[in-house]
Amino acid sequence: MRYNWDWSIYFQRASDGSGTWLHYLFVGLAWTLATALAAWVIALVVGSIVGTLRTTPSKWIVRLGNAYVEIFRNIPLLVQMFLWFFVLPELLPKGLGDAVKQIPPPWGSYLPAVLSLGIYTSVRVAEQVRAGIQSLPRGQRMAGTALGLTLPQNYRFVLLPMAFRIILPPLTSEFLNIIKNSSVALTIGLLELTGRARAMQEFSFKVFEAFAAATVIYLVTNMIVVVLMRALERRVRVPGFIGTTAKAPQAGH
Amino acid sequence: MNSSMIEFRAVSKWYGSFQVLKRCSTRVDKGQVVVVCGPSGSGKSTLIKCVNGLEPFQEGEIIVNAESVGAKGTNLSRLRSKIGMVFQHFELFPHMSVTENLNLAQVKVLGRSREEATTKSMALLKRVGLEAHAKKYPGELSGGQQQRVAIARGLAMDPIAMLFDEPTSALDPEMINEVLDVMVELAQEGMTMMVVTHEMGFARKVAHRVVFMDNGEIVEDAATEEFFGSPRSDRAQLFLSKILQH
Ligand SMILES: Nc1ncnc2c1ncn2[C@@H]1O[C@H](COP(=O)(O)OP(=O)(O)OP(=O)(O)O)[C@@H](O)[C@H]1O
Ligand SMILES: [Mg+2]
């Protein structure tokens, strides 16, 4: 197959007249990041709370947390996005539902995209947080309790700071996932990076150039994320800490 | 004459249908040291963890400083803050420096100011010979040093009693004495202590009484000289002969 690459396409005027195609794609990147970051805040907050609740001594609260995880883990992201976008407004009381449908273009897609992506990812974060807390030696919780710390204090000062350090690497992959998964939002009409690459291909017929650019932009973005997260890992590294085995770390001097 | 600090009254505990503690009764008087020993799985850790409510129990009563541990109205968090506890695996908080480990509960539970807490912590670190390590993290210390920090962390709360659950059994042999020395000194100063340990030298030296457990039962509860001189039960005799061999 022969294909005539035309790199100058990036500097030609985009069909929406806002600037060059390159500029058009970078606006897409901005939407991708805006979606991913907002969803990440939801995922992190909700996931941390749910994951923590699932390790409390209260059976009832643990069950509630488990139910949340099971529900949102077993529905595909695409379906969840459709549920928020198409179904939710129908379920709301008429006035409110109509108001939701009236939200102007990018926001009408942006909000359900952020909500569905955030909640979908929160389940995965909750799993990590739970695993992180449970990987700590049982004696850590006991030591905090024995000192008179209340349960919330024990989580805040003893358990979560170590649990989060331990799960930082898997959280990095979840963050990369959320950036990639934000492309699903094109199905509900959000013109993020993938959506714009597709639009560029449709209007300019330059399919390879469009997706080559999108690929490179995703790659570079995720590489930057990885570098930043590695820096964060180094920053919060605990001196002398090796693992979470209950065995005494024998540093020895 | 002596008033009791910790008193067990017929305490029973079950894990499902398995009974770990069988009507255990004993007491630790103010200023006394009681050593608890017995074979693995006999319920020593469970017994000592009932004192500050780390383990709930189903029957009987535990009175600590005139407060009933299991009772509804008892403020467990406040009671715990007055009882120091030292664990086999130290359980220092790895993400905090040695000083922060000692400060945390002083500030969050007792409401001391950070300066006040730090002053107290430094004095205690000096006492256990670790003031030079105040800024280090637990992972940078040897096992013996970590356990001494853990003891200091308990003492920082100005406890009315200290509980030890096999404080030296995770240590390399050459580090056992540095920890025992701190405990002996503490005992000689009149700290009320309940100590699960197999260090019979320590028991002989500072214990007022020795409690021997087997199968969840307190089989023997005797003054130290009496326990080592003429243990009444066969089980205690057998245990002693085994443990004193090495
Ligand atoms: N959470 C639990 N669930 C069920 N059984 C338990 C639990 N914790 C302890 N046990 C059992 O209770 C018994 C007493 O345990 P405990 O830890 O108090 O013994 P121990 O005397 O401290 O032993 P060791 O010298 O090995 O530390 C053991 O048979 C143990 O298997
Ligand atoms: Mg034990």
Side-chain angles (χ1 to χ4, degrees):
Chain A
M1 187 191 97
R2 291 190 59 86
Y3 182 81
N4 283 325
W5 291 88
D6 178 9
W7 301 110
S8 70
I9 182 75
Y10 299 129
F11 304 101
Q12 291 167 23
R13 229 173 149 65
S15 59
D16 69 345
S18 63
T20 62
W21 281 116
L22 195 61
H23 172 261
Y24 182 77
L25 288 177
F26 272 105
V27 173
L29 173 64
W31 279 105
T32 290
L33 292 179
T35 309
L37 283 173
W40 185 241
V41 171
I42 295 176
L44 214 51
V45 172
V46 177
S48 301
I49 293 171
V50 173
T52 301
L53 290 180
R54 293 175 74 201
T55 64
T56 57
S58 159
K59 279 209 181 74
W60 195 80
I61 290 178
V62 171
R63 281 204 200 107
L64 214 65
N66 290 350
Y68 176 88
V69 168
E70 287 311 324
I71 290 170
F72 290 103
R73 180 166 65 184
N74 290 315
I75 306 173
L77 173 59
L78 184 61
V79 174
Q80 291 195 35
M81 215 168 264
F82 283 180
L83 286 176
W84 285 97
F85 184 67
F86 295 114
V87 181
L88 181 74
E90 306 299 334
L91 296 180
L92 292 172
K94 179 117 180 56
L96 193 59
D98 287 344
V100 168
K101 287 184 218 164
Q102 296 301 313
I103 301 176
W107 307 109
S109 310
Y110 177 78
L111 291 176
V114 165
L115 279 171
S116 57
L117 197 55
I119 285 173
Y120 175 79
T121 312
S122 75
V123 168
R124 306 174 59 93
V125 171
E127 276 294 88
Q128 299 295 350
V129 170
R130 180 187 60 80
I133 294 172
Q134 286 176 346
S135 76
L136 300 173
R138 246 169 51 89
Q140 288 283 298
R141 181 190 291 259
M142 265 192 247
T145 309
L147 282 167
L149 297 178
T150 60
L151 191 64
Q153 284 176 327
N154 210 354
Y155 274 106
R156 164 70 186 80
F157 300 112
V158 176
L159 302 174
L160 289 176
M162 276 317 289
F164 273 111
R165 282 175 167 88
I166 291 166
I167 63 168
L168 218 43
L171 282 186
T172 302
S173 8
E174 289 310 331
F175 188 53
L176 297 178
N177 277 339
I178 216 169
I179 294 176
K180 292 180 276 182
N181 286 341
S182 66
S183 62
V184 175
L186 78 87
T187 58
I188 56 171
L190 186 69
L191 279 177
E192 42 63 71
L193 182 52
T194 307
R196 282 178 184 243
R198 223 176 54 153
M200 172 176 170
Q201 168 248 280
E202 273 166 16
F203 284 101
S204 67
F205 308 107
K206 297 289 179 194
V207 58
F208 284 85
E209 286 82 350
F211 283 100
T215 305
V216 169
I217 294 174
Y218 274 119
L219 263 176
V220 171
T221 307
N222 281 354
M223 267 153 53
I224 292 170
V225 169
V226 169
V227 168
L228 289 178
M229 290 299 281
R230 291 287 173 274
L232 179 65
E233 278 169 40
R234 272 196 303 279
R235 231 184 101 84
V236 301
R237 202 184 63 86
V238 172
F241 182 76
I242 326 163
T244 54
T245 46
K247 270 253 158 29
Q250 298 287 347
H253 286 276
Chain B
M1 28 160 238
N2 270 332
S3 55
S4 99
M5 180 65 84
I6 303 169
E7 186 173 353
F8 292 78
R9 295 182 186 156
V11 173
S12 291
K13 174 180 173 69
W14 285 262
Y15 282 118
S17 62
F18 173 66
Q19 189 167 5
V20 239
L21 296 179
K22 299 173 183 163
R23 298 187 60 80
C24 293
S25 296
T26 186
R27 57 187 276 174
V28 185
D29 288 336
K30 278 195 179 116
Q32 288 214 330
V33 177
V34 169
V35 160
V36 181
C37 61
S40 181
S42 55
K44 308 177 298 289
S45 298
T46 310
L47 186 79
I48 204 170
K49 281 174 194 158
C50 286
V51 175
N52 57 357
L54 287 185
E55 291 284 358
F57 51 92
Q58 286 85 21
E59 275 179 18
E61 210 180 2
I62 299 178
I63 310 292
V64 176
N65 200 27
E67 266 187 289
S68 175
V69 176
K72 283 223 160 57
T74 303
N75 182 341
L76 260 186
S77 168
R78 215 197 65 236
L79 186 65
R80 283 171 179 143
S81 71
K82 294 194 289 188
I83 306 171
M85 186 153 197
V86 176
F87 300 86
Q88 184 174 1
H89 295 292
F90 331 133
E91 305 304 347
L92 294 177
F93 308 134
H95 58 293
M96 296 182 197
S97 72
V98 165
T99 313
E100 287 165 347
N101 262 277
L102 268 65
N103 283 357
L104 179 68
Q106 293 188 65
V107 173
K108 301 298 172 193
V109 179
L110 301 182
R112 288 181 185 154
S113 73
R114 199 150 284 281
E115 298 73 54
E116 215 181 333
T118 306
T119 308
K120 176 95 191 171
S121 302
M122 290 313 292
L124 282 165
L125 287 176
K126 190 161 181 197
R127 178 166 164 192
V128 299
L130 291 171
E131 72 267 47
H133 301 278
K135 290 206 172 66
K136 287 195 181 162
Y137 284 77
E140 301 174 302
L141 302 177
S142 73
Q145 291 171 329
Q146 290 189 60
Q147 195 60 301
R148 283 185 282 154
V149 172
I151 294 173
R153 180 173 70 179
L155 293 175
M157 304 295 282
D158 292 320
I160 54 174
M162 289 284 288
L163 309 174
F164 295 82
D165 189 4
E166 305 208 35
T168 57
S169 57
L171 295 176
D172 291 341
E174 74 272 16
M175 295 173 187
I176 291 178
N177 278 330
E178 64 188 71
V179 172
L180 287 181
D181 287 347
V182 171
M183 291 170 62
V184 168
E185 208 181 290
L186 208 55
Q188 284 165 351
E189 284 166 15
M191 175 61 76
T192 308
M193 293 161 68
M194 187 166 173
V195 186
V196 176
T197 185
H198 290 164
E199 293 292 333
M200 289 302 134
F202 171 81
R204 269 182 214 263
K205 198 162 173 183
V206 297
H208 295 84
R209 284 203 346 278
V210 178
V211 167
F212 173 75
M213 290 187 78
D214 194 12
N215 273 322
E217 267 178 286
I218 293 185
V219 178
E220 192 134 347
D221 181 353
T224 308
E225 314 81 63
E226 196 186 327
F227 180 79
F228 287 109
S230 54
R232 271 165 293 182
S233 68
D234 295 347
R235 282 188 278 185
Q237 270 174 17
L238 185 68
F239 176 76
L240 271 181
S241 69
K242 268 190 200 154
I243 206 165
L244 294 178
Q245 260 166 22
H246 21 242

